[in-house]
Structure formats: C-alpha cells, structure tokens
Amino acid sequence: MNQHHATTGSSDQQQITLRGPAELADALPFVLGFHPTDSVVLVALHGERGRFGGRLRLGIPSSPGEWTATADHLAECLVEGCERRGERPDGILVFLCQDPRPGENGQRVMERLRPFAQRLRIACGALDVPVYEALCISDGRHFSYCCPDTRCCPPDGTPLALPGTSVMAAAAAYAGIRVRGTLRDMEAGLKPPARADETALRQALDEASAVLLPCIIDAGALARMREETLRLARELMGRIERADARGGDAADDALVTDREAADVIMGLQDRDTRDRAAEWMEGAEGAIALRLWRVLARRCIHPYTEHAAAPLTLAGWTAWSTGDEPAARVALGLALDADPDYRFAQLLHQACNEGLDPESLRACLRGERSARNLLPAQGDAVEPGAAGDTPAAEPSAGPTLPKDPARARRRVRRARPGAVRPPVAGRTTRSGRARRGGTRPVRTVGTQPRRDRRGSGRG
C-alpha cells in the first residue's frame, strides 16, 4: 500500500503520512471537516508521495441506474478541476460512506455498493488516472475494494479507530481542526424542523409571494421592495445581535416572526437584493448575517422549498468568507438541492471546492460598497451606518474570481436574464415529469445541465 500525505491546514502546513486503508478511513472526517453520511467522496493525489489535493463529495444516488453517469461526471469534475489549478492528479482515492438499511450490516452495504465502486474505478481509469484505493465505510467499519490481503483487509471489515486516537486526529487537534459531527446533523440545522402546524407559516409565505408578483412588472414597486427587504433584514440582524449568541437555533428562530421571515425570503428572490445582502460577509456582521440566513432557510417549507436557495447560498457564501469551508460546502450543496439551476450557488460551490481564495470577491464587494457610499445611485439612498447597501458581483464561471468591479458587474448582468423569481404553476423537471405536489411558486427553469452535474465538489 502506498503512503499518502494529508495537510492539516495549519499555518505551517504540517504534513501527516497515512499508511494503509485504516488510516485513510480514519482521516476522511478531518479531510472534509465532518463525517460524511450517504456520500461518495473522491480525493485527488499528487506526486510520488500521494499528496492530498482536490476533493469532491456527492450524495450516493439511490438508483443504481444513475451510478455510471454519476461516476463519469465525478471523475471528470475532479480531474478537470485539478487541471484548472495547473496540477493534474496522479491518482484518486474513493470513499463510499453509507449507513446500513434495516436488516443490513456493513458487509452487506459494501457488497451492494461494489458495482458503484467499480464504475468509479473505470471512470477514473478512462481518464488515465488510477484509483489507488476504494473504501466503503459503514456501520463503524471500513472495507477495501482494492486490497486482496485478508490480513489487513478482512472480508467482514475492520473497525474504525476510536474517536481521537488516530494519527490524523492527533495532528488535527494540534492544528486546531475539529470535526463538526455528521453531514446529516449539519444539514438538519439548515432544513425546516418538524412543526405540529405549518398553517400560519404557509399563509405568511403565500401572502408575501402575492406581494412579490407586482414587482415583476413595476420597477418602482421592485425598488421599494428591495429597500424594505434590506431594512427588515438589518432590523432582524440587530435583534439577533442583541440576543444571547449562545441560545442556538431555537432561540434565533423565536426572534423572527413567520411574517418577517416570509417577507425577507421573498425579497431575496430578487437577485439585486440578494447581491446587496451578500456584502454582510465579514467579522461580527458576517456571523450575525449567517445566523439570519439559517433562520430563513429553516422557514422555507413546502411548497416554498425552492425559495431556500437564496438564503442557503448566502449562508454558504458567508461561511466561506469567514473561513468555515465545511459549513460553506454543506449550505451550498443544500442550495443546489433546493434549486439545481441556481447560478450563484453553482459558481460559489465551484470556487469553494476548487480552493480559490474568497478574498478576491470580498475585495470586489468592498470596492463597490465604497463607490456606492461615495456616489449613491438614484433610488438607492444610503442609510448612515447601514450594512450592505452595495450590489454584489457574482463570481465568474472560470477558475478565478473577478477583481475589477465594473467588469464583474457586466458579467453578472449578462449572466442573469431576470431579476425576480416569478411564481409559475406546474413546473416540470428536465425529465418532463411534473414535480410531486402539483403547482408551486418557483422560478422558471433555465437551460442548465442535468441535476447530477451540480455535484462538482458538493459538501
């Protein structure tokens, strides 16, 4: 078994040598920042020593019929992403992580997923990049699809190391890196919790959606809606800031009424409003904004689940901007689950997973904020001390983010055909089948790639 080298991410770029499948399996949560659940993870390896590079995570497709296309897409995304950074991978590690179904054990899961592992190995090999190891992690054990030696990789699997006892755990503790828990737990903090009665919230969303309709054709109404949305969002941020920061999700939820949440959620469907809100991205302001975006995402119940794409994308951007990449990947992945065609989430997700520095986009936003404060545009009066009064530029679709504000604005204008997500009835999916639940207020569908192509580095 080759040795592989993981970087802890500390300031001195400490390298850890991992030997064998057991240490690779134990290192995975520290590589991602959380324990992946129901996930396929690909990690690029570079050089003779197998240095860890780019990584991708995607939920395991429930239908085996999707495994071949998913494997091809993931392999292409990882290799092309590494090539854009100027370093083609020399090998790939594959991890399949899934809890047992009722009546299964870890070994049964490993055998059920074996065809998917084989398709991933074939897809990587077709790009002339070998899979050095493919592991299944299930039921507290790991299983190798590549190692034939039963002394180190027995058919019934090998128990994972006790938490905190692996070489990677020791190095991560020294570097100040922590694992956030499971992916399922992290996603639960961004999804609507179970409610005994959703009638009042759904009515508030219905009423706010009806207010949104006139803004599609009335420029004056749209301008007023933008200012009112930002004013209300700032008011809610101030309310959260004054509350005890240790209160958690439930305390934050209690500070925002259903009607207030609905009004801001609908206002954020306007892309200019969302872009201006993206400026609340740093320091204490960013931390408070992140709490608000999570509150709003948890209010997007059926049939308004697709409207969660805007607050989830803002949550992902703010987390990435403040240095929390694991949380950013989770939020952006959920944004793409809510709306696979949401362009801002696609671009941020790609940039985050390609290891780009968010500072270039932050600098662009700061520059536009300064220009706006010096020369406020007509109809966009700047309130003294107000946060987020500048339109934000979306990141470019390429491997680098735009640094020139004017150029960025031109790119954004070309990229978006309309400002508001209008409610439409009976949306159909790209396969032509109507979504369950009948009519729902959602954005019209564009011509983006099919859904499995959202996963360039999900998570």
Side-chain angles (χ1 to χ4, degrees):
M1 178 67 188
N2 293 334
Q3 297 180 358
H4 305 291
H5 297 264
T7 301
T8 63
S10 58
S11 58
D12 58 357
Q13 294 294 293
Q14 180 184 8
Q15 288 190 348
I16 306 301
T17 300
L18 304 175
R19 300 176 178 86
E23 292 188 356
L24 289 174
D26 294 332
L28 182 60
F30 300 97
V31 172
L32 296 177
F34 53 84
H35 293 274
T37 49
D38 193 30
S39 298
V40 49
V41 180
L42 271 62
V43 179
L45 301 173
H46 300 278
E48 294 181 358
R49 305 180 69 191
R51 174 175 50 81
F52 280 20
R55 62 218 63 180
L56 302 179
R57 192 212 66 83
L58 185 69
I60 296 176
S62 57
S63 171
E66 300 178 27
W67 287 354
T68 297
T70 301
D72 292 342
H73 173 59
L74 286 175
E76 291 172 4
C77 285
L78 182 60
V79 173
E80 291 175 2
C82 291
E83 288 178 338
R84 280 194 293 269
R85 294 193 298 272
E87 192 175 16
R88 181 180 175 84
D90 297 294
I92 289 176
L93 298 176
V94 172
F95 300 88
L96 296 176
C97 310
Q98 193 170 74
D99 294 334
R101 297 172 179 173
E104 282 188 329
N105 58 19
Q107 188 172 7
R108 292 283 298 274
V109 173
M110 183 270 290
E111 291 298 340
R112 176 167 51 80
L113 295 178
R114 185 183 291 276
F116 189 26
Q118 184 62 19
R119 285 172 172 81
L120 288 162
R121 296 174 70 183
I122 292 172
C124 295
L127 299 175
D128 295 326
V129 183
V131 171
Y132 288 160
E133 182 60 270
L135 298 177
C136 177
I137 300 176
S138 181
D139 201 20
R141 307 177 78 85
H142 70 81
F143 307 80
S144 174
Y145 292 111
C146 297
C147 180
D149 191 342
T150 58
R151 293 172 297 178
C152 64
C153 299
D156 58 350
T158 304
L160 298 173
L162 294 175
T165 62
S166 69
V167 61
M168 191 67 178
Y174 177 78
I177 297 173
R178 64 187 181 92
V179 176
R180 308 299 182 85
T182 68
L183 173 64
R184 187 179 296 112
D185 292 338
M186 295 180 70
E187 289 182 336
L190 295 165
K191 293 180 177 180
R195 283 189 171 208
D197 185 2
E198 296 180 339
T199 303
L201 175 55
R202 188 169 290 108
Q203 181 178 351
L205 289 166
D206 288 343
E207 292 173 356
S209 179
V211 173
L212 178 66
L213 285 171
C215 299
I216 300 174
I217 57 176
D218 187 337
L222 180 58
R224 290 190 295 273
M225 184 199 70
R226 287 173 179 162
E227 296 306 319
E228 176 58 24
T229 299
L230 294 170
R231 183 204 62 77
L232 178 56
R234 286 193 295 269
E235 178 182 325
L236 297 176
M237 287 172 59
R239 194 181 302 168
I240 292 173
E241 185 177 17
R242 291 188 294 272
D244 185 359
R246 295 170 296 178
D249 292 346
D252 287 348
D253 288 337
L255 296 172
V256 181
T257 69
D258 286 343
R259 185 53 197 260
E260 290 171 333
D263 286 344
V264 179
I265 288 168
M266 292 303 160
L268 291 175
Q269 305 312 303
D270 168 62
R271 298 184 182 183
D272 282 331
T273 308
R274 179 210 64 196
D275 289 350
R276 289 171 64 175
E279 293 183 355
W280 307 334
M281 59 185 176
E282 298 181 276
E285 181 183 60
I288 297 301
L290 180 56
R291 291 168 63 185
L292 176 60
W293 307 144
R294 288 171 174 165
V295 169
L296 299 182
R298 292 192 291 269
R299 299 292 177 92
C300 294
I301 60 173
H302 178 79
Y304 294 92
T305 51
E306 194 161 299
H307 288 67
L312 285 169
T313 301
L314 288 170
W317 158 241
T318 308
W320 183 37
S321 177
T322 54
D324 191 348
E325 290 189 10
R329 292 190 182 98
V330 171
L332 293 170
L334 286 178
L336 292 172
D337 281 342
D339 184 354
D341 301 324
Y342 202 69
R343 186 62 172 161
F344 194 24
Q346 291 174 339
L347 297 174
L348 288 174
H349 207 230
Q350 176 186 344
C352 180
N353 285 286
E354 289 189 1
L356 300 184
D357 187 350
E359 177 56 28
S360 56
L361 182 53
R362 285 197 299 259
C364 178
L365 296 178
R366 293 190 207 104
E368 291 206 357
R369 173 184 285 185
S370 297
R372 186 183 184 90
N373 288 337
L374 290 173
L375 295 171
Q378 185 177 0
D380 288 329
V382 178
E383 299 180 13
D389 288 315
T390 307
E394 296 187 1
S396 71
T400 58
L401 298 177
K403 296 183 178 180
D404 177 65
R407 180 183 178 192
R409 294 299 295 171
R410 290 194 296 270
R411 286 187 183 179
V412 175
R413 296 300 181 191
R414 288 197 298 267
R416 56 191 190 200
V420 179
R421 303 173 58 183
V424 297
R427 177 189 179 187
T428 57
T429 65
R430 277 171 291 283
S431 63
R433 297 181 302 225
R435 287 182 181 265
R436 292 192 296 270
T439 62
R440 54 191 279 177
V442 297
R443 182 171 62 85
T444 52
V445 178
T447 56
Q448 298 295 330
R450 40 190 275 262
R451 179 168 184 164
D452 63 9
R453 291 194 174 271
R454 77 185 188 277
S456 36
R458 267 197 65 211

